[in-house]
Amino acid sequence: MAAALGSASSLPRFLGTDASPSVVSRRSPASASLCSRSLHSRSLVSVRATPFNPRCEVVSDNFVRKNEADSLPSGPSPLELLKSSAADRYTKERSSIIVIGLNIHTSPVEIREKLAIPEAQWPQVIGELCALNHIQEAAVLSTCNRMEIYVLALSQHRGVKEVTEWMSKQSGVPLAELREHQFLLYNKDATQHLFEVAAGLDSLVLGEAQILAQVKQVVKTGQGVAGFDRQISGLFKQAISVGKRVRTETNISSGSVSVSSAAVELALMKLPESSFATSRVVVFGAGKMGKLVIKHLVAKGCNRMVVVNRTEERVNAIRQELQGVDIVYRPLSETLTCAAEGDVIFTCTASESPLFSKENVQMLPSVEQGIGQRLFIDISVPRNVEPGISDLDSAQLYNVDDLEEVVAANKEDRLQKATEARGIIFEELNKFESWKDSLETVPTIKKFRAYVERIRASEMEKCLSKMGGDISKKQKEAIYDLSMSIVKKLLHGPMQHLRCDGNDDRSLSEVLENMRALNRMFDLETEMSMLEEKIKVKMERAKK
């Protein structure tokens, strides 16, 4: 992994400033690449390796020298960096939740497919990300419309650097090209983004239901995986609650279309009028997406189709669910034969290589008279059909990025519901931020409780020894209960002032000041030593 790390000086310098974690520096209009979507006056920033606004170029000499040192293969360890002259700035950074990704708003499918991560590999990817020096927790959300990595980073700018370089190495996409299409969001903005994703507000199809199931799958896949821990798992679980609440209270998904239904609608739009009933339909893939395509075809009156899949088991399950529909199973080994017999072909498999090349399609016989061209609707990421097929006179090809034509017609009637959904998201965002902020004081609470417990146990032992051996069991229990009661009442006040759960008027800054005061008064672990311990743990993991 060390060999894959590029020079730190190639990073946009604003990532190394001491700005608030929730603030993303912006470039001048001439060089900025902003997503068209903006909720609550927030934009996703696409990071390019181009010059930034001069205001963002001002950094300390220490930081420049440190970034140069990061690029050396035999540089100091993270622990040594922590203890260097810049340690004060380094330790003042709180752990940050960051999302680094590409989606349908920022990058075309030809870039997204290179970074797509199959669901079966998500646990492995979490492990690889958490093995990076400054990443504590991680999660992956990879669908046909997005590939987003969520991390809890010890250092914001170092975390972004490590994850971006990991993404470049794994995908083969050069860093400069990756930065051109990726977006970065931090802390509250990252949280809000995931809530919007789960609610269907960030989807190509506004209010689509399938994305919520995909967010749920992140949690299901991450259960028991080291690195999918308290903050990131809590973030995704809260996102699921937000998605459910938005759909329940706004009905944003009622009458909405999914990617699969939009694909079927697109096919109907492109076919000559009245030819759908006689068209020979072939669906490649019987997974979640394929099953939805089949259901929407049936809803449009298609009662016979060929389904090509690796095994027949899933096809049989669909047959059981859709009684009265003639579904013919064919194995993947008959791919070209089935395509030759089809007029409309939907591809939605998890294959990482194309099922159809330009040469394959060029050799296929003509379609049924009256249809004109063989129609390919490819909603797979990575794509199942080579783009060169569009050059053929005998075929039409559409992929997931071409569905906007269908989606636009269904969007207006849900915009009001989207406004209502943002109000719900704002409420839930404040709840999550309060919960997350309260975690900052958890180590102090635990250590203070342990400190007080040591004193209680020691003093009780002294008391019992002075009373001699004639004391009864009942008396011992009474003394124990007395000591516990005193401790509980003494702890109540400090514990209340160390919590920031939204149930009182205390601000986060007040709670953190109380935490620092308690650390000073009772000589509990300092901010420096807490971070030092985290890095030691990561270094020990790396040695195993």
Side-chain angles (χ1 to χ4, degrees):
M1 180 65 71
L5 298 180
S7 170
S9 61
S10 67
L11 271 180
R13 289 186 177 182
F14 79 92
L15 295 177
T17 65
D18 286 327
S20 168
S22 64
V23 177
V24 180
S25 299
R26 299 172 187 245
R27 287 165 279 157
S28 60
S31 62
S33 175
L34 299 180
C35 297
S36 59
R37 183 182 59 83
S38 176
L39 300 180
H40 297 297
S41 302
R42 173 177 59 82
S43 296
L44 302 179
V45 179
S46 175
V47 183
R48 299 175 188 264
T50 52
F52 279 67
N53 188 307
R55 291 177 300 169
C56 302
E57 294 290 334
V58 181
V59 292
S60 69
D61 289 340
N62 281 343
F63 175 69
V64 174
R65 285 196 295 271
K66 186 187 296 183
N67 263 357
E68 290 171 351
D70 283 346
S71 66
L72 298 175
S74 59
S77 70
L79 194 58
E80 290 169 333
L81 281 173
L82 179 66
K83 295 176 179 177
S84 69
S85 60
D88 182 59
R89 185 198 63 79
Y90 184 82
T91 55
K92 283 180 180 176
E93 284 194 84
R94 294 172 58 197
S95 294
S96 298
I97 290 179
I98 307 171
V99 56
I100 306 171
L102 303 91
N103 61 28
I104 199 164
H105 307 294
T106 68
S107 64
V109 66
E110 53 264 29
I111 299 295
R112 298 199 310 273
E113 68 184 359
K114 293 178 182 178
L115 288 111
I117 301 173
E119 185 182 305
Q121 295 179 18
W122 291 357
Q124 175 188 335
V125 169
I126 290 172
E128 291 180 11
L129 290 170
C130 290
L132 301 174
N133 283 334
H134 297 87
I135 304 302
Q136 286 179 281
E137 303 178 23
V140 179
L141 177 60
S142 183
T143 72
C144 60
N145 285 337
R146 69 187 68 250
M147 202 296 284
E148 299 175 356
I149 290 177
Y150 293 79
V151 296
L152 180 67
L154 288 171
S155 167
Q156 183 171 291
H157 69 278
R158 284 184 170 87
V160 169
K161 178 178 184 290
E162 290 175 353
V163 174
T164 302
E165 290 177 341
W166 179 90
M167 291 169 70
S168 176
K169 180 181 177 182
Q170 296 300 312
S171 64
V173 177
L175 277 170
E177 187 175 7
L178 185 59
R179 291 182 184 128
E180 182 179 354
H181 295 285
Q182 76 178 175
F183 67 86
L184 305 172
L185 290 171
Y186 306 104
N187 297 312
K188 195 170 184 177
D189 286 342
T191 300
Q192 180 177 334
H193 173 71
L194 181 59
F195 288 1
E196 291 166 359
V197 168
L201 300 189
D202 191 65
S203 299
L204 172 65
V205 181
L206 186 63
E208 72 153 314
Q210 192 175 3
I211 185 62
L212 181 57
Q214 291 162 336
V215 173
K216 289 179 181 178
Q217 196 60 32
V218 172
V219 174
K220 183 178 179 181
T221 305
Q223 293 298 323
V225 176
F228 188 73
D229 295 327
R230 188 171 190 177
Q231 288 204 45
I232 294 297
S233 67
L235 171 64
F236 273 82
K237 288 173 182 176
Q238 186 70 18
I240 293 169
S241 297
V242 172
K244 289 178 178 177
R245 185 182 168 195
V246 165
R247 286 169 174 80
T248 300
E249 297 183 22
T250 68
N251 293 320
I252 194 171
S253 294
S254 62
S256 69
V257 293
S258 64
V259 169
S260 300
S261 65
V264 174
E265 291 287 348
L266 182 62
L268 289 172
M269 292 169 60
K270 300 303 177 183
L271 284 170
E273 191 174 354
S274 303
S275 66
F276 181 69
T278 59
S279 297
R280 299 171 298 175
V281 177
V282 183
V283 179
F284 284 82
K288 295 174 184 176
M289 195 78 77
K291 182 179 179 180
L292 288 173
V293 167
I294 295 167
K295 284 186 172 182
H296 289 297
L297 284 168
V298 172
K300 294 297 180 180
C302 178
N303 293 316
R304 188 183 190 283
M305 67 196 76
V306 173
V307 178
V308 183
N309 197 52
R310 186 170 54 85
T311 64
E312 192 173 2
E313 183 180 357
R314 285 184 173 177
V315 179
N316 285 335
I318 295 172
R319 283 194 190 115
Q320 291 294 321
E321 190 173 339
L322 302 175
Q323 297 287 336
V325 181
D326 185 7
I327 298 177
V328 179
Y329 164 74
R330 303 283 283 275
L332 277 173
S333 58
E334 299 181 20
T335 292
L336 292 180
T337 302
C338 294
E341 298 171 357
D343 304 315
V344 182
I345 297 170
F346 295 88
T347 57
C348 37
T349 78
S351 174
E352 295 185 12
S353 57
L355 300 179
F356 297 103
S357 64
K358 182 177 180 180
E359 292 72 20
N360 294 150
V361 176
Q362 199 166 18
M363 295 169 58
L364 297 178
S366 300
V367 297
E368 289 287 313
Q369 189 174 3
I371 293 179
Q373 297 171 300
R374 181 171 277 105
L375 181 61
F376 288 87
I377 308 289
D378 183 12
I379 54 174
S380 303
V381 178
R383 289 171 291 178
N384 288 170
V385 184
E386 286 187 353
I389 288 174
S390 298
D391 300 332
L392 301 176
D393 294 333
S394 60
Q396 297 181 71
L397 171 61
Y398 300 92
N399 62 43
V400 70
D401 285 359
D402 296 317
L403 300 180
E404 185 66 41
E405 183 178 351
V406 177
V407 173
N410 296 278
K411 197 170 184 177
E412 284 300 322
D413 61 348
R414 289 192 300 281
L415 288 179
Q416 180 57 43
K417 294 174 183 176
T419 302
E420 297 171 15
R422 292 187 187 108
I424 294 172
I425 288 172
F426 183 73
E427 290 177 21
E428 296 292 336
L429 183 62
N430 287 336
K431 289 180 185 177
F432 179 80
E433 288 299 306
S434 294
W435 173 81
K436 181 168 69 72
D437 290 339
S438 71
L439 298 181
E440 293 291 316
T441 63
V442 168
T444 297
I445 290 174
K446 288 182 177 178
K447 291 181 182 299
F448 187 49
R449 284 186 181 278
Y451 173 84
V452 174
E453 171 59 21
R454 285 195 298 271
I455 294 175
R456 184 205 66 78
S458 174
E459 294 304 311
M460 180 178 167
E461 187 64 30
K462 290 178 183 177
C463 174
L464 292 176
S465 63
K466 288 179 180 179
M467 297 178 71
D470 296 333
I471 186 171
S472 68
K473 181 179 179 181
K474 187 175 181 179
Q475 289 173 319
K476 285 183 180 180
E477 289 175 353
I479 295 171
Y480 172 80
D481 291 342
L482 174 65
S483 69
M484 291 298 293
S485 178
I486 292 172
V487 165
K488 185 177 179 180
K489 289 180 179 179
L490 287 174
L491 283 175
H492 178 73
M495 293 301 102
Q496 286 294 102
H497 285 79
L498 286 178
R499 291 193 174 94
C500 182
D501 53 13
N503 294 326
D504 48 49
D505 296 328
R506 276 187 296 276
S507 65
L508 175 62
S509 59
E510 182 183 348
V511 171
L512 293 180
E513 182 54 41
N514 292 338
M515 178 187 74
R516 296 185 190 104
L518 207 61
N519 279 328
R520 290 193 299 270
M521 286 187 289
F522 294 95
D523 196 26
L524 303 177
E525 192 170 37
T526 63
E527 192 175 2
M528 166 76 85
S529 58
M530 285 170 64
L531 186 55
E532 185 176 325
E533 182 180 325
K534 289 178 181 177
I535 293 180
K536 280 181 178 179
V537 170
K538 291 193 70 65
M539 293 174 68
E540 288 170 3
R541 283 183 190 169
K543 291 177 182 178
K544 293 180 181 178

